[in-house]
Amino acid sequence: MKIALLGHGTVGSGVYELIMKNRPRFKEIYGKELNVERIMVNHPENYKHLPYYELFSNNFEDFKELSFDVAIESIGGIEPAFQYVSYFLSKGIPVITSNKDLIAEKGNLLTALALKNNTSIRYEASVGGGIPILKTLEENLAGDQILEIAGIVNGTTNYILTKMNNESLSYNTALLMAQNLGFAETDPTSDVEGLDSVRKIAILTKLGLNIDVDWKSIPVEGITQIDAEDIVFFNQELLNIKLIGITKVIRDGFYCSVRPVLVSKSSKFASIDNEFNAVRVHGEAVGELMFIGKGAGQMATATSVLGDLVDLMLNTKIRVSKKLENRSLVKLFPDKSNWIVKLAGVSSNDINEEHVSVSEETHFMKLTDINEENLIDKLNKLSSQLNCDYKYYLIYE
Amino acid sequence: MKIALLGHGTVGSGVYELIMKNRPRFKEIYGKELNVERIMVNHPENYKHLPYYELFSNNFEDFKELSFDVAIESIGGIEPAFQYVSYFLSKGIPVITSNKDLIAEKGNLLTALALKNNTSIRYEASVGGGIPILKTLEENLAGDQILEIAGIVNGTTNYILTKMNNESLSYNTALLMAQNLGFAETDPTSDVEGLDSVRKIAILTKLGLNIDVDWKSIPVEGITQIDAEDIVFFNQELLNIKLIGITKVIRDGFYCSVRPVLVSKSSKFASIDNEFNAVRVHGEAVGELMFIGKGAGQMATATSVLGDLVDLMLNTKIRVSKKLENRSLVKLFPDKSNWIVKLAGVSSNDINEEHVSVSEETHFMKLTDINEENLIDKLNKLSSQLNCDYKYYLIYE
């Protein structure tokens, strides 16, 4: 199989390494020889030290003159990845990508383009790194009706929250720690504001729930507003805070969000520590399934790319095009649930509700068995009556 | 697709139900119509009340006169399942089975027979019920080297141990509870003695580690010898006891066992409660992955069968035959680890080691950083010196 490799950063170089490592074994098992024929990078001159330096090019015209059996894209971002991927698909060449931005933004378009050209685009590595969740949804669970997917799908924020939960660190200290260890980028916005997570939950909504959604329409709340004093209280209540993407079918539409939620310390989600990701799927027939693994990292992500490549070696099956449903997106948690509410700037004497005061002006209450819409109504009344601020967290399990 | 359904018990009837439910949708998506053409049962007359009664037969000759595109076997046990499955494979008809006994006992033979006849045998439902673990190992992780697999692969024993861990029930009380709720059979031997788990760990060893193993050669210890007083002590140490199958590559061979082991209460395995199963895979490239779900149950198991069926609809890919390696089976845990040891029938005054006495004659010690072989040596010396009995548990994580 002649391979075009687009990108040679963390993921791309990991993919190259795994391909080289598996070549003899794959040839024996699948009877196919993997050959990386050309590698696209911005600065080929940076790779002069590599024995396969002659494969590098920064000119896409060099790719058009060769024939390929598959293109692997790990450049990241929308352009020029979109342009390159479109080219290959339009020529009927299957594409494997690890690029969640591209899939979240242009996935529908690219899937349609692949189908039109009798080929396929695969992107297992774009969600959950090494966790095999997309193919599982598409194939293993094809006979089931998926009702809900919830996941910790960003390792950076999960690392930060783990430190905050376990060591009562402030957000800023935990972020610094994550940056020093390479788990967070210098500009962590995309991770900590939930923008990375929301793209992934959009992909899971399309593939698992078969519902079309624009990731930009999904309500998203990051982790920057979580106070250390909140965590102290959560710990007393045996709750951990996690950034969780939730997408679920409801009667008249679907609910989808990324938000910090509270989970019981004995729950499965609470045990997902540090850079690990976890995706929980609830199917009508299969019940609850959970998939845990490293959500990022060079070799974990490269393994998912190789999985897609193995599928291509095993067969030339064409991804089927399921028409995505249009359903209205509900932005408030629709089910009755329990909540932790924080009131700030009010004396405890003025509060009639049962509450725990952690300082003269800061008080926590637990409100039970109420949906988010009614909760907000109630809190709006309370805050205007008491002239105070509030903040609240969903207790998710 | 013309389907022969063998068996109409819990799994078989669930498969029938899911096939009927998905028929219109599958036709739309995959362009194939699923038709169950004949159903094998012992007593067709028991199904007179069903609208599809005319499909039932207890005569295998009735199957030989029809043509099928796939046979689904959920009879269970070795015979006559083996005979029927062999027939279909020898005719080049792919087989899907949920029968772990059959695969553990005759898997190599049937795989070879399938390959010879250019067809395939698939058995996702045979391990972990609804958990999509086998295809994940075969396809998604094909580009990785699997180093270790560990799993809670029996829901009955996990239910019993959950009750023992959480509610300090005795084994007998917890078993009775499981039986009353239908989680344990009247004769629970196969589950509680670990015989069900050991078959599954053998299948995982072959498929994941690519090592040939006869399930009957794997050391297995069930849960019947776990005392309630042991659990009280484990709880104090923040440990839960779990029945875990472990299979791992080591330098000169591989280690494989099913045994009760101790895990930290904050570990992922400790959070696997009641009838849930969990399989943890450690790959060289992908790192740690864990898959959690219901290990049994009608619809969960049927979902896995449907997943295999979808694969057949998507393509006619032939399973590749990887030659299994022969490696020597090491029966004692090879790595240095920590252990809880119980000494019985000796006065605490006679014990020099650091220990906790829970009664005049019963004492627990923690021995650290020692492998099982050296541990046994040490305990043999100790017990002959003190003239007492001992028992020990691996602390696995």
Side-chain angles (χ1 to χ4, degrees):
Chain A
M1 284 185 107
K2 293 181 193 157
I3 300 170
L5 182 58
L6 309 174
H8 196 269
T10 307
V11 177
S13 62
V15 168
Y16 185 87
E17 188 184 325
L18 269 194
I19 287 175
M20 286 301 119
K21 194 175 161 191
N22 281 291
R23 267 184 101 222
R25 198 162 65 90
F26 281 2
K27 188 167 181 203
E28 199 187 314
I29 301 177
Y30 309 110
K32 300 208 172 150
E33 195 163 85
L34 297 181
N35 290 308
V36 177
E37 302 273 322
R38 196 142 289 183
I39 303 173
M40 165 66 82
V41 289
N42 279 333
H43 300 287
E45 65 276 14
N46 292 350
Y47 301 91
K48 279 199 176 133
H49 59 289
L50 293 177
Y52 52 103
Y53 166 62
E54 80 283 358
L55 300 181
F56 288 86
S57 163
N58 59 2
N59 183 356
F60 195 63
E61 296 303 315
D62 289 347
F63 289 76
K64 293 185 179 172
E65 66 193 26
L66 291 178
S67 76
F68 294 103
D69 299 304
V70 56
I72 299 174
E73 185 272 315
S74 63
I75 302 173
I78 307 294
E79 285 296 354
F82 177 62
Q83 178 196 327
Y84 298 159
V85 167
S86 301
Y87 169 83
F88 287 110
L89 293 177
S90 69
K91 296 280 173 197
I93 298 165
V95 171
I96 297 168
T97 176
S98 59
N99 186 338
K100 64 182 167 300
D101 295 349
L102 181 67
I103 295 301
E105 189 73 33
K106 304 282 191 186
N108 291 2
L109 237 158
L110 293 172
T111 306
L113 184 61
L115 196 75
K116 190 179 145 204
N117 291 283
N118 213 25
T119 189
S120 63
I121 176 161
R122 309 171 59 83
Y123 42 89
E124 184 63 67
S126 69
V127 179
I131 304 176
I133 180 66
L134 301 187
K135 180 161 139 155
T136 297
L137 288 170
E138 270 197 301
E139 298 180 9
N140 300 67
L141 299 178
D144 199 1
Q145 195 77 34
I146 307 302
L147 306 174
E148 179 173 346
I149 302 175
I152 296 171
V153 287
N154 178 275
T156 303
T157 46
N158 200 49
Y159 181 87
I160 294 171
L161 292 178
T162 301
K163 292 296 156 200
M164 291 175 74
N165 284 316
N166 296 354
E167 299 168 30
S168 303
L169 301 182
S170 74
Y171 166 73
N172 285 321
T173 311
L175 170 63
L176 211 64
M177 212 163 166
Q179 284 171 326
N180 287 338
L181 287 165
F183 287 132
E185 296 184 44
T186 318
D187 175 3
T189 313
S190 163
D191 292 319
V192 300
E193 297 296 356
L195 303 174
D196 176 80
S197 296
V198 81
R199 287 184 176 93
K200 291 169 180 166
I201 206 73
I203 296 173
L204 290 170
T205 301
K206 290 183 194 181
L207 218 69
L209 266 49
N210 206 37
I211 297 172
D212 201 12
V213 62
D214 177 0
W215 70 269
K216 291 185 285 294
S217 69
I218 299 171
V220 51
E221 182 188 335
I223 63 166
T224 58
Q225 301 307 312
I226 302 166
D227 296 332
E229 68 178 3
D230 300 3
I231 305 252
V232 172
F233 179 76
F234 303 153
N235 270 324
Q236 286 165 15
E237 298 287 308
L238 300 180
L239 296 167
N240 274 1
I241 191 150
K242 293 285 181 187
L243 185 68
I244 295 190
I246 304 171
T247 186
K248 61 186 288 183
V249 179
I250 56 174
R251 210 167 50 114
D252 301 320
F254 74 112
Y255 168 76
C256 190
S257 74
V258 169
R259 64 197 290 175
V261 301
L262 296 168
V263 296
S264 145
K265 280 191 188 292
S266 64
S267 70
K268 295 188 189 83
F269 272 131
S271 75
I272 311 304
D273 272 349
N274 296 321
E275 76 273 30
F276 274 87
N277 282 15
V279 180
R280 190 178 69 186
V281 176
H282 195 95
E284 190 179 66
V286 81
E288 180 190 320
L289 291 176
M290 195 178 216
F291 304 86
I292 303 168
K294 285 190 182 148
Q298 180 177 42
M299 297 319 275
T301 309
T303 304
S304 281
V305 171
L306 268 273
D308 281 344
L309 197 55
V310 165
D311 262 7
L312 288 177
M313 282 193 288
L314 276 169
N315 62 83
T316 52
K317 73 183 163 190
I318 302 302
R319 298 282 106 175
V320 283
S321 158
K322 294 185 285 182
K323 259 204 216 98
L324 296 177
E325 269 185 87
N326 283 308
R327 276 174 165 257
S328 61
L329 170 61
V330 169
K331 300 200 173 192
L332 296 178
F333 196 71
D335 302 333
K336 287 190 179 182
S337 186
N338 299 334
W339 308 80
I340 297 286
V341 173
K342 182 185 184 180
L343 297 181
V346 64
S347 153
S348 67
N349 299 329
D350 296 334
I351 309 174
N352 293 321
E353 313 273 335
E354 204 175 308
H355 65 277
V356 174
S357 302
V358 297
S359 76
E360 215 155 296
E361 296 225 312
T362 310
H363 318 279
F364 287 95
M365 321 187 314
K366 189 170 179 176
L367 293 182
T368 56
D369 202 29
I370 182 170
N371 72 24
E372 191 165 9
E373 193 177 348
N374 294 338
L375 177 80
I376 293 177
D377 277 355
K378 192 178 164 81
L379 291 176
N380 280 341
K381 275 181 207 147
L382 198 68
S383 77
S384 74
Q385 183 191 322
L386 298 176
N387 192 23
C388 69
D389 292 332
Y390 68 82
K391 199 160 115 180
Y392 62 85
Y393 295 96
L394 170 64
I395 301 180
Y396 186 52
E397 64 172 21
Chain B
M1 283 185 108
K2 292 181 193 158
I3 299 169
L5 182 58
L6 309 174
H8 195 270
T10 307
V11 177
S13 61
V15 168
Y16 185 87
E17 189 184 325
L18 270 194
I19 288 175
M20 286 301 118
K21 195 175 161 189
N22 281 292
R23 268 184 100 221
R25 198 161 65 90
F26 281 2
K27 190 168 179 201
E28 198 187 314
I29 300 177
Y30 309 110
K32 300 210 172 149
E33 194 162 86
L34 298 181
N35 290 307
V36 177
E37 303 273 322
R38 197 143 288 184
I39 304 173
M40 165 66 84
V41 290
N42 279 331
H43 301 286
E45 65 277 12
N46 292 349
Y47 301 92
K48 277 196 178 138
H49 60 290
L50 294 177
Y52 51 104
Y53 166 62
E54 80 283 358
L55 300 181
F56 288 86
S57 163
N58 59 3
N59 183 356
F60 195 64
E61 296 303 315
D62 289 347
F63 289 76
K64 294 185 179 171
E65 65 195 26
L66 292 178
S67 77
F68 294 103
D69 298 305
V70 55
I72 299 174
E73 186 274 314
S74 63
I75 302 174
I78 308 295
E79 286 295 357
F82 177 62
Q83 180 197 325
Y84 298 160
V85 168
S86 302
Y87 169 82
F88 287 110
L89 293 177
S90 69
K91 296 282 174 194
I93 298 164
V95 172
I96 297 168
T97 175
S98 59
N99 185 338
K100 66 183 167 300
D101 296 349
L102 181 68
I103 295 302
E105 188 75 32
K106 305 282 191 185
N108 291 2
L109 238 158
L110 292 172
T111 306
L113 184 61
L115 196 74
K116 192 179 144 203
N117 291 284
N118 214 26
T119 189
S120 63
I121 176 162
R122 310 172 60 83
Y123 42 89
E124 184 63 67
S126 70
V127 179
I131 304 176
I133 181 66
L134 301 187
K135 180 161 139 157
T136 297
L137 289 169
E138 270 196 302
E139 299 180 9
N140 300 66
L141 299 177
D144 198 1
Q145 195 77 33
I146 307 301
L147 306 172
E148 179 173 344
I149 301 174
I152 295 171
V153 287
N154 179 273
T156 304
T157 46
N158 199 49
Y159 181 88
I160 294 171
L161 292 179
T162 300
K163 293 296 155 197
M164 292 176 73
N165 283 317
N166 295 357
E167 299 169 29
S168 302
L169 301 182
S170 74
Y171 165 73
N172 285 321
T173 310
L175 170 62
L176 211 63
M177 213 162 165
Q179 284 171 325
N180 286 339
L181 287 166
F183 287 132
E185 297 184 43
T186 317
D187 176 3
T189 312
S190 163
D191 292 319
V192 299
E193 297 296 356
L195 303 174
D196 175 80
S197 296
V198 82
R199 286 184 177 94
K200 290 169 179 165
I201 206 74
I203 295 173
L204 290 169
T205 302
K206 290 182 194 180
L207 218 68
L209 266 50
N210 206 36
I211 296 171
D212 201 12
V213 62
D214 178 0
W215 69 270
K216 291 185 285 294
S217 69
I218 300 171
V220 52
E221 184 188 334
I223 64 165
T224 58
Q225 301 305 313
I226 302 167
D227 296 332
E229 67 178 4
D230 301 3
I231 305 253
V232 172
F233 179 76
F234 302 152
N235 270 324
Q236 286 165 15
E237 298 287 309
L238 300 179
L239 295 167
N240 274 1
I241 191 148
K242 292 286 183 188
L243 185 69
I244 296 190
I246 304 170
T247 185
K248 61 187 287 184
V249 178
I250 55 175
R251 208 167 50 112
D252 301 320
F254 73 112
Y255 167 76
C256 191
S257 74
V258 170
R259 63 197 292 174
V261 303
L262 296 169
V263 295
S264 146
K265 280 189 189 291
S266 63
S267 69
K268 295 189 188 82
F269 272 131
S271 74
I272 312 304
D273 272 349
N274 296 319
E275 77 272 31
F276 274 87
N277 281 15
V279 180
R280 190 178 69 187
V281 175
H282 195 96
E284 191 178 66
V286 81
E288 181 190 319
L289 291 175
M290 196 178 217
F291 305 85
I292 303 168
K294 285 193 182 145
Q298 181 177 40
M299 297 319 276
T301 310
T303 304
S304 281
V305 171
L306 268 274
D308 282 344
L309 197 55
V310 164
D311 263 6
L312 288 177
M313 282 192 288
L314 276 169
N315 62 82
T316 52
K317 73 184 164 191
I318 302 302
R319 298 284 104 176
V320 282
S321 160
K322 295 186 283 183
K323 258 204 218 101
L324 295 177
E325 269 186 88
N326 283 307
R327 277 175 165 257
S328 60
L329 170 62
V330 169
K331 301 200 172 191
L332 296 179
F333 195 72
D335 303 333
K336 287 189 179 183
S337 186
N338 299 334
W339 309 80
I340 296 288
V341 174
K342 181 184 184 181
L343 297 182
V346 62
S347 153
S348 66
N349 300 328
D350 296 334
I351 309 174
N352 293 322
E353 313 274 336
E354 202 176 311
H355 65 279
V356 175
S357 301
V358 298
S359 76
E360 213 154 298
E361 296 224 313
T362 309
H363 319 279
F364 287 94
M365 321 187 313
K366 188 170 182 177
L367 293 182
T368 57
D369 203 29
I370 182 169
N371 71 24
E372 190 164 9
E373 193 177 349
N374 293 338
L375 176 81
I376 294 176
D377 276 355
K378 191 178 165 83
L379 291 176
N380 281 340
K381 276 181 206 146
L382 197 70
S383 78
S384 74
Q385 184 191 322
L386 298 175
N387 193 25
C388 69
D389 291 333
Y390 68 81
K391 199 161 116 180
Y392 63 85
Y393 296 96
L394 170 63
I395 301 180
Y396 186 51
E397 64 172 21

